[in-house]
Amino acid sequence: MDRAAKTANIYRLGIKELRSLWRDPMMMILIIYAFSFSIYVSGTAMPETLHKAPIAITDEDQSQLSRRIVSAFYPPHFVSPAMVGLDEVDRGMDAGHFTFALDIPPGFQRDVLAGHRPTIQLNVDATRMSQAFSGGGYIQQIVQAEVAEFTRGTRAGPPPPIELAVRQRFNPTLAQSWFGSLMAIINNVTMLSIILTGAALIREREHGTIEHLLVMPITPFEIMAGKVWAMSLVVLMACAFALKIVVEGVLAVPVEGSALLFLAGAGLHLFATTSMGIFMGTIARSMPQFGLLLMLVLLPLQMLSGGATPRESMPEFVQTVMLAAPTTHFVKMAQAILYRGAGFDVVWPQFLAIAAIGAAFFIVALRRFGQTITTMA
C-alpha cells in the first residue's frame, strides 16, 4: 500500500473517531465543561485577598484608642465587627460564627501611653485556611497602625536605615486567577487527551467495532494514528477556545507570550498523552477499570509535574523520575510562554524532550495495541 493510501486511511479513521465522539453526549459535556466552567471556577474559586472575614471584638477598655481599633475593621476585608462579651467568644468560635476574635484588655490605652507593652489577644479559627492564613497579618498591621497613629498623631515615622524595593514579576498584583485559570488549562489538556483516546478504544471494544476494523486492509499504526490526530485536534481546539475566550476574555488574564507557540507545544504534548491513553485503554477491559487506572496515573502526573508545587521542593528521586513524564516538560514550557513571554529560543529543550518522550510512548503503545488486536483476531 502506498503512502497516499495510508494517509487517506488515517484521515478517514480520524473522521470516524470525530463522528463517534460527536454522538457521545457525555464526552461532549465533559469537554465543554472542562474548558469553560471548570477554567472559570479554577480562576475564581480562591479569593485573591481577604474578603468579608467575620470578626468579633471584645472591648474591655472602652477607651478612645480601643474605639479607633474597632472602627478600623470594615468591608470588604472584614464584615462589620460583632461586639461581644468575653464569655461569648469561645461559644461563637465553636459555632463557626467568627473566624477571628480580638480581645482588647482593660487599661490598654493607659498602658500604651505609659510606654508599656500591653498584649492584645487574637483568637483565630485555623480551620478556615484561606482566611486564617492572611487574616492574622492584616489584623496585626491594622492594630499596629492605629496604635502608632494614636501615640504619634500621624502614621509617619522615622525613615528606616534601608529601603527594600519589592517588584513582583509576571504577576504584579499576585492575582490568584492568573495562576489558577492557566494551570487548569494545562491540567485539562492532559486529562482530556488521555480520557478521550482511552475511552474511544474501550468503546470500540465494547461495541464490537474493533472486529470490523480487523477485517479491513488497514494496519494497527493507521488505526492508532487516526485516534491520535482526531482526539488531539478536539482537545487543541478546546484549549484554544479556553485560552482566548475564557482566560483572556472573561477572566481578563493577560497572556504574555505567543498563543500559537503554546498551542504548538500543546499539540506536541498531546502526541504523548494520547499515546498514553491508548496504552491504558489496551490494559483496561472496561470503562470502570479505565477510570481506576486513570486516577493512579493522572494524579502523579499533575501533582508532581511542577504545576502545583515547585519541583525544587520535591525529593531528588521524584524530580529525577518525573523527567520521564511529558507533563513535567509541558508545565515548564507552558508557564515560560504564558507567564513570562518566553520564545522558542528559551523553550526548545522542552519541545525536544516532549517530542522524544512522545515518540517513545507512541512506539510502546503501538506495540501493545498491535498485540492486543492480534490476540482478538
Side-chain angles (χ1 to χ4, degrees), residues 143-260:
V143 172
Q144 289 177 345
E146 292 300 326
V147 172
E149 184 178 5
F150 179 79
T151 56
R152 294 195 303 264
T154 176
R155 292 183 187 270
I162 62 171
E163 182 178 356
L164 180 64
V166 180
R167 296 181 176 88
Q168 285 88 11
R169 296 291 303 277
F170 315 120
N171 188 354
T173 61
L174 301 179
Q176 170 67 25
S177 61
W178 289 26
F179 176 81
S181 58
L182 291 176
M183 283 309 305
I185 290 181
I186 294 171
N187 290 333
N188 288 348
V189 164
T190 301
M191 178 187 70
L192 262 296
S193 58
I194 295 177
I195 290 177
L196 292 180
T197 48
L201 181 59
I202 294 175
R203 182 171 55 242
E204 284 191 337
R205 184 187 299 123
E206 291 178 343
H207 294 172
T209 54
I210 190 70
E211 285 83 358
H212 299 166
L213 296 176
L214 296 179
V215 300
M216 298 176 64
I218 53 178
T219 64
F221 171 82
E222 294 168 2
I223 299 174
M224 182 171 166
K227 296 181 184 298
V228 167
W229 83 256
M231 298 309 166
S232 297
L233 178 63
V234 171
V235 176
L236 199 61
M237 292 177 60
C239 176
F241 169 83
L243 186 63
K244 298 300 293 184
I245 304 301
V246 181
V247 174
E248 293 189 85
V250 178
L251 296 175
V253 176
V255 174
E256 295 295 331
S258 169
L260 291 178

Side-chain angles (χ1 to χ4, degrees), residues 6-7 27 30 46 72 76 105 119 122 138 146 168 180 186 206 222 242 249 259 276 281 308 319 325 340-341 346 366:
K6 288 180 177 292
T7 303
M27 283 297 176
L30 176 62
M46 294 185 64
T119 300
L122 175 64
Y138 271 75
E146 292 300 326
Q168 285 88 11
I186 294 171
E206 291 178 343
E222 294 168 2
M276 292 176 59
Q319 295 184 42
R340 299 186 286 274
V346 175
L366 179 60

Side-chain angles (χ1 to χ4, degrees), residues 62-333:
Q62 296 294 324
S63 63
Q64 181 183 357
L65 177 56
S66 66
R67 286 191 291 272
R68 287 177 63 105
I69 294 175
V70 172
S71 64
F73 295 94
Y74 49 82
H77 294 325
F78 298 91
V79 298
S80 298
M83 305 305 298
V84 299
L86 191 61
D87 58 335
E88 301 176 76
V89 172
D90 289 342
R91 185 166 62 250
M93 295 199 74
D94 290 343
H97 297 323
F98 318 126
T99 301
F100 306 99
L102 188 68
D103 180 18
I104 304 176
F108 177 70
Q109 177 177 308
R110 182 187 66 246
D111 292 340
V112 168
L113 294 176
H116 300 158
R117 299 177 61 86
T119 300
I120 293 182
Q121 180 176 335
L122 175 64
N123 299 307
V124 182
D125 182 359
T127 61
R128 301 181 178 183
M129 286 298 299
S130 62
Q131 292 184 337
F133 182 75
S134 59
Y138 271 75
I139 294 173
Q140 183 178 5
Q141 293 176 9
I142 290 172
V143 172
Q144 289 177 345
E146 292 300 326
V147 172
E149 184 178 5
F150 179 79
T151 56
R152 294 195 303 264
T154 176
R155 292 183 187 270
I162 62 171
E163 182 178 356
L164 180 64
V166 180
R167 296 181 176 88
Q168 285 88 11
R169 296 291 303 277
F170 315 120
N171 188 354
T173 61
L174 301 179
Q176 170 67 25
S177 61
W178 289 26
F179 176 81
S181 58
L182 291 176
M183 283 309 305
I185 290 181
I186 294 171
N187 290 333
N188 288 348
V189 164
T190 301
M191 178 187 70
L192 262 296
S193 58
I194 295 177
I195 290 177
L196 292 180
T197 48
L201 181 59
I202 294 175
R203 182 171 55 242
E204 284 191 337
R205 184 187 299 123
E206 291 178 343
H207 294 172
T209 54
I210 190 70
E211 285 83 358
H212 299 166
L213 296 176
L214 296 179
V215 300
M216 298 176 64
I218 53 178
T219 64
F221 171 82
E222 294 168 2
I223 299 174
M224 182 171 166
K227 296 181 184 298
V228 167
W229 83 256
M231 298 309 166
S232 297
L233 178 63
V234 171
V235 176
L236 199 61
M237 292 177 60
C239 176
F241 169 83
L243 186 63
K244 298 300 293 184
I245 304 301
V246 181
V247 174
E248 293 189 85
V250 178
L251 296 175
V253 176
V255 174
E256 295 295 331
S258 169
L260 291 178
L261 182 61
F262 166 71
L263 292 176
L268 198 60
H269 175 67
L270 287 168
F271 173 60
T273 52
T274 50
S275 300
M276 292 176 59
I278 291 177
F279 179 79
M280 293 166 58
T282 60
I283 296 176
R285 313 308 296 178
S286 63
M287 284 301 296
Q289 289 185 9
F290 180 74
L292 294 175
L293 184 60
L294 181 67
M295 288 190 292
L296 295 177
V297 174
L298 191 60
L299 288 178
L301 286 179
Q302 293 185 347
M303 298 301 295
L304 303 179
S305 62
T309 304
R311 295 186 65 248
E312 293 77 13
S313 63
M314 301 178 189
E316 292 186 5
F317 173 75
V318 175
Q319 295 184 42
T320 303
V321 170
M322 288 304 295
L323 289 175
T327 50
T328 300
H329 308 281
F330 179 56
V331 167
K332 187 175 182 179
M333 176 208 68

